[in-house]
Amino acid sequence: MLRINNVSIHFGGKPLFDKMTFQIVKGERIGLTGKNGAGKSTLLNMIMGHLSPSEGNLETPTTYSIGHLSQDLDEVSDLTVLEEAKKAFVALNNLEAEIEEVQNQLVTRTDYESDSYMSLINDLTEKEQLLHQLGGQNTEELIEKVLKGLGFVSSDMTKLVSSLSGGWQMRVELAKILLQQPDLILLDEPTNHLDIESIIWLEEYLTTYPGSVLVVSHDKAFLDNVTNRTIEIVLGKIEDYKCNYSKYLVQRQERIEKQQQAKKNQEDFIKQTERNIEKFRAKASKAKFAQSLIKKLDKLEVIEVDGSDNSSMNFKFQEPNRSGDIVVKVENASKAFGDNQVLKNVNLEINRGEKVAFVGKNGMGKTTLARMILNEIDYDGNINLGHNVEVGFFAQHQAEILDGNRTVFETIDDAATNEMRTRVRSLLGSFLFSGDDTEKKVKVLSGGERNRLALCKMLLEPANLLVLDEPTNHLDMVSKDKLKQAINNYTGTVIVVSHDRDFLQGLTEKVVEFKDQNIKEHIGDINEFLSKREVESFREFEQNKKIEEQKNAPKEKKNLHKQRKEFKSVEKKIETLEKKISEFEARLKDYDEYQKIQEDPTAFKTHEENKAKLDELMERWEILSIELEE
């Protein structure tokens, strides 16, 4: 269990956190939310020990372990994928090294009858038994299971990590954290570099993870499927909701409405009191009463309404020039990378004004076809752009190739031409860059800020065909909605590659499905496509193979749903009992409350019964955790 006790952090004399208190219990999966600048990253850094609080403290057991997946990699490994993943097993690796050392000693010894030789034999036996107990014989199998769950295939295991793209390197880091099985996993935007199938696997893994999980994410579906608690940082304190993200939004709105009503009532009370003060202060007989009212107002704690983050991108794409009726025509196009045939004899026609979604698993050719259309890579077959087609392209890693040594202003000013140069500051303002922010170096920007800057740069060139490859990575939920609104209002043609179902809903009128080296067109938006495919979600479509495996699963697996249901029920009971126990122990520390407890002959007995019941539930919880994990 991790406890955060009355923690305050001050920056420049201003409090970011003000006596923040909460705890993270084993088995909890928490979504951390809050407006930009609320302190989510600061809280993660504090939990990791990279930052000390100004006041208060963090408490963890001596052996408590934490794994942290950040948005950026500190360094790139020169090992293979399998070798790098093995580094997760520190204790096992040290034990294997010790066994090898003892074996080397035995090989060189000839004093077979000596006590020291027998001592080495015993030492080797003990170490080998310990290795077996720790599961040393199954490490490679476990590593492959996790790596394959995150999208790797067998042939990837011997590839150098340094040869992989940044997204795949992040997957290796995530695999290491999952393999370490720390008491607490901190995840900062874990789905940014994952495809749908890997996201589903991660969701299932985390749902039954025996430790605790604290995740920051702008993926609503991921938060809903994984978390059972939401912590919001607001006005330096935390609001705690025992529910997932969607339910939190509803409860939060209800809370704000109550706050607004309470604030209105308080303002009415203040106005009436001020009128009374003015009325009575001039009368000598009422002056004392007026002074008491003034003191009462001075002591009044003003109700604050939790603020929403109203800052969001506010832009629209330039009105495009008219193109020909046929914007893109693909005829028998094929592409192979060495022996890897990605696309074969693909045919596709996109007409003026159409908005088209490219969907499918990673590696099925979505980005490849987009780059073929842009003539960025060689291919076989024919791809023609129509008359007067002007292309605007946002690449998956567009933000990463910006010059880090240029400022935000220089990045846009250098790319602007003619009349656009007079609008640079206005344009930057619409992408949330204003004042000193425009003088920041690109290299110090966050992932979301870089994405916004790359989108801003794309706007400088007039285009009637937009090709957007994963444009929502790193964008917060409000910015994603604004981008979606801008695309909906755009009168040109759009091709969008995305794994974000919320973003795609109501955005496109044609879905192009990538599968088995080819494509299949579906008329309608994502929801209509899912309906035709008779699946409940876009995620299930990405995982047809898994669905088939589930249909053919042995009968004993049908009990999985029942076990999960009991697991959640036990979790809830544990949560309730821990709260009761904690509240009772808090009362014991208060003199007045302690006196009341002394008057209740059943109080201590009930407390002991609750503790005993909690122990029973924890044992059952551990058994269910192991069964579900297996």
Side-chain angles (χ1 to χ4, degrees):
M1 180 188 295
L2 179 144
R3 293 179 186 271
I4 293 178
N5 301 315
N6 293 314
V7 161
S8 297
I9 288 184
H10 299 88
F11 288 117
K14 295 182 178 180
L16 180 64
F17 300 152
D18 182 21
K19 298 189 182 302
M20 178 185 289
T21 298
F22 69 94
Q23 64 185 28
I24 299 175
V25 178
K26 183 178 179 181
E28 285 188 319
R29 299 178 299 281
I30 304 168
L32 180 63
T33 186
K35 70 179 186 178
N36 291 340
K40 298 188 292 294
S41 297
T42 301
L43 180 57
L44 295 185
N45 283 326
M46 188 177 68
I47 291 173
M48 284 300 298
H50 300 156
L51 181 68
S52 298
S54 307
E55 300 173 22
N57 67 296
L58 279 72
E59 290 181 23
T60 59
T62 308
T63 58
Y64 197 81
S65 57
I66 302 174
H68 178 215
L69 180 74
S70 66
Q71 291 191 40
D72 301 302
L73 290 170
D74 295 328
E75 58 184 31
V76 179
S77 170
D78 56 1
L79 300 175
T80 67
V81 170
L82 186 60
E83 290 169 340
E84 182 65 22
K86 279 184 178 179
K87 287 168 64 176
F89 299 97
V90 177
L92 283 173
N93 293 337
N94 291 339
L95 189 57
E96 286 178 344
E98 291 173 11
I99 288 173
E100 186 177 354
E101 174 62 25
V102 174
Q103 288 172 335
N104 289 336
Q105 289 183 46
L106 289 172
V107 169
T108 59
R109 298 278 290 265
T110 57
D111 53 333
Y112 308 122
E113 303 297 329
S114 68
D115 291 341
S116 60
Y117 188 87
M118 293 307 297
S119 178
L120 279 176
I121 291 288
N122 292 333
D123 188 27
L124 179 62
T125 302
E126 288 176 4
K127 290 182 185 302
E128 287 178 337
Q129 286 177 345
L130 180 57
L131 183 67
H132 182 78
Q133 289 170 5
L134 293 175
Q137 71 282 4
N138 299 321
T139 53
E140 286 203 13
E141 181 183 338
L142 183 58
I143 288 170
E144 287 209 19
K145 177 185 175 183
V146 171
L147 286 172
K148 287 180 177 179
L150 292 174
F152 290 91
V153 295
S154 296
S155 58
D156 292 330
M157 304 301 164
T158 54
K159 290 180 180 177
L160 294 177
V161 174
S162 57
S163 71
L164 304 176
S165 67
W168 285 96
Q169 289 174 13
M170 291 295 289
R171 294 190 194 207
V172 176
E173 287 302 303
L174 177 56
K176 285 164 61 180
I177 291 170
L178 300 181
L179 289 165
Q180 288 165 3
Q181 294 214 322
D183 296 297
L184 172 63
I185 296 178
L186 305 178
L187 299 176
D188 195 354
E189 297 293 353
T191 65
N192 274 353
H193 303 288
L194 300 179
D195 57 27
I196 299 298
E197 189 172 78
S198 299
I199 290 173
I200 296 170
W201 182 89
L202 181 60
E203 285 177 353
E204 293 180 350
Y205 187 95
L206 294 177
T207 300
T208 57
Y209 185 69
S212 307
V213 180
L214 181 64
V215 57
V216 177
S217 177
H218 293 120
D219 186 328
K220 295 178 186 176
F222 180 77
L223 288 173
D224 280 345
N225 290 334
V226 169
T227 62
N228 54 17
R229 180 182 174 192
T230 301
I231 289 179
E232 179 189 20
I233 303 176
V234 56
L235 299 174
K237 300 185 183 294
I238 65 126
E239 293 292 340
D240 205 339
Y241 300 83
K242 306 297 184 184
C243 59
N244 65 18
Y245 187 81
S246 289
K247 292 178 182 176
Y248 142 77
L249 289 176
V250 175
Q251 293 182 22
R252 181 182 187 274
Q253 185 57 37
E254 291 173 351
R255 190 184 86 243
I256 289 175
E257 288 172 0
K258 289 178 181 177
Q259 286 178 341
Q260 289 170 336
Q261 185 59 51
K263 185 171 181 63
K264 183 180 181 303
N265 293 340
Q266 187 183 64
E267 288 171 347
D268 291 342
F269 169 77
I270 291 171
K271 287 177 183 177
Q272 182 60 49
T273 304
E274 287 173 342
R275 285 195 292 268
N276 290 338
I277 291 170
E278 289 301 314
K279 179 180 177 182
F280 297 125
R281 74 192 316 169
K283 298 179 180 179
S285 61
K286 299 289 185 179
K288 190 174 181 180
F289 177 60
Q291 286 300 315
S292 70
L293 291 179
I294 291 171
K295 290 179 181 178
K296 190 173 184 180
L297 280 186
D298 288 341
K299 292 179 180 179
L300 190 66
E301 187 174 335
V302 178
I303 295 171
E304 292 185 80
V305 177
D306 296 347
S308 299
D309 186 8
N310 296 318
S311 59
S312 62
M313 294 194 307
N314 185 21
F315 76 100
K316 63 179 181 179
F317 293 102
Q318 295 185 55
E319 188 62 30
N321 296 323
R322 186 180 176 86
S323 69
D325 289 340
I326 298 176
V327 177
V328 178
K329 192 173 183 66
V330 180
E331 296 179 295
N332 296 318
S334 301
K335 178 62 183 176
F337 295 95
D339 296 330
N340 181 21
Q341 186 76 45
V342 179
L343 296 170
K344 188 173 182 180
N345 297 328
V346 170
N347 292 281
L348 175 66
E349 184 173 294
I350 299 175
N351 298 315
R352 185 179 66 244
E354 283 189 323
K355 294 181 174 68
V356 182
F358 283 6
V359 300
K361 298 178 186 178
N362 276 9
M364 291 293 105
K366 304 185 299 294
T367 298
T368 298
L369 183 56
R371 294 179 65 197
M372 289 161 61
I373 290 171
L374 295 163
N375 204 27
E376 283 197 348
I377 54 176
D378 296 329
Y379 57 87
D380 297 320
N382 296 305
I383 299 179
N384 295 305
L385 298 182
H387 173 68
N388 201 33
V389 171
E390 301 165 317
V391 182
F393 180 43
F394 181 88
Q396 228 180 114
H397 306 296
Q398 193 89 8
E400 296 175 13
I401 61 176
L402 295 172
D403 187 345
N405 293 314
R406 307 294 286 170
T407 67
V408 168
F409 179 82
E410 288 169 343
T411 299
I412 301 304
D413 190 52
D414 291 350
T417 57
N418 302 326
E419 73 279 359
M420 289 301 295
R421 300 201 71 172
T422 63
R423 298 177 50 206
V424 169
R425 291 199 180 277
S426 173
L427 187 61
L428 284 170
S430 67
F431 281 84
L432 307 183
F433 295 106
S434 59
D436 293 340
D437 290 339
T438 63
E439 299 307 316
K440 286 182 179 178
K441 297 279 189 184
V442 171
K443 61 186 175 185
V444 304
L445 300 180
S446 68
E449 288 172 329
R450 288 193 186 200
N451 252 32
R452 294 204 310 267
L453 186 61
L455 282 168
C456 181
K457 187 177 179 182
M458 187 185 72
L459 278 188
L460 295 172
E461 294 293 334
N464 48 30
L465 170 61
L466 297 178
V467 181
L468 308 175
D469 190 3
E470 299 292 359
T472 63
N473 278 359
H474 300 291
L475 291 185
D476 61 39
M477 294 178 186
V478 178
S479 295
K480 284 198 294 186
D481 289 341
K482 289 292 183 182
L483 175 60
K484 182 174 179 177
Q485 181 181 331
I487 294 173
N488 274 326
N489 293 334
Y490 178 64
T491 57
T493 309
V494 180
I495 297 171
V496 58
V497 181
S498 179
H499 66 259
D500 190 329
R501 180 189 173 185
D502 290 323
F503 181 69
L504 290 176
Q505 284 177 347
L507 184 67
T508 62
E509 60 247 16
K510 181 191 288 186
V511 173
V512 178
E513 174 190 358
F514 284 69
K515 187 178 180 182
D516 300 331
Q517 303 176 359
N518 216 302
I519 64 172
K520 184 176 180 182
E521 295 180 55
H522 303 266
I523 303 302
D525 78 345
I526 278 293
N527 288 336
E528 291 175 271
F529 166 69
L530 297 176
S531 178
K532 289 173 186 174
R533 291 298 301 264
E534 294 183 347
V535 292
E536 292 182 357
S537 72
F538 186 33
R539 296 166 173 243
E540 289 176 352
F541 144 65
E542 296 275 13
Q543 214 186 15
N544 280 334
K545 183 179 177 183
K546 182 169 279 190
I547 292 171
E548 288 303 313
E549 288 173 353
Q550 289 172 349
K551 287 180 181 177
N552 298 322
K555 289 183 179 179
E556 57 266 22
K557 286 191 177 180
K558 292 181 180 179
N559 292 323
L560 185 60
H561 177 71
K562 185 177 178 182
Q563 286 177 303
R564 282 182 175 166
K565 190 173 180 181
E566 184 186 357
F567 182 81
K568 289 181 179 179
S569 173
V570 170
E571 270 190 335
K572 192 169 182 180
K573 290 176 182 176
I574 288 173
E575 190 178 287
T576 302
L577 278 175
E578 283 180 331
K579 187 177 180 181
K580 286 182 179 178
I581 292 168
S582 177
E583 288 174 350
F584 183 85
E585 291 174 348
R587 290 178 65 197
L588 290 176
K589 297 175 184 178
D590 184 281
Y591 179 78
D592 292 335
E593 289 296 317
Y594 180 76
Q595 294 299 318
K596 292 178 184 177
I597 291 171
Q598 291 284 70
E599 296 171 4
D600 183 357
T602 64
F604 283 99
K605 182 181 178 182
T606 302
H607 179 59
E608 291 303 317
E609 288 174 352
N610 284 341
K611 287 168 68 176
K613 182 63 176 174
L614 179 61
D615 289 339
E616 292 176 13
L617 286 170
M618 288 302 294
E619 286 181 16
R620 182 57 184 159
W621 185 90
E622 288 179 10
I623 292 169
L624 287 168
S625 294
I626 294 168
E627 289 176 353
L628 284 169
E629 187 176 357
E630 289 173 349

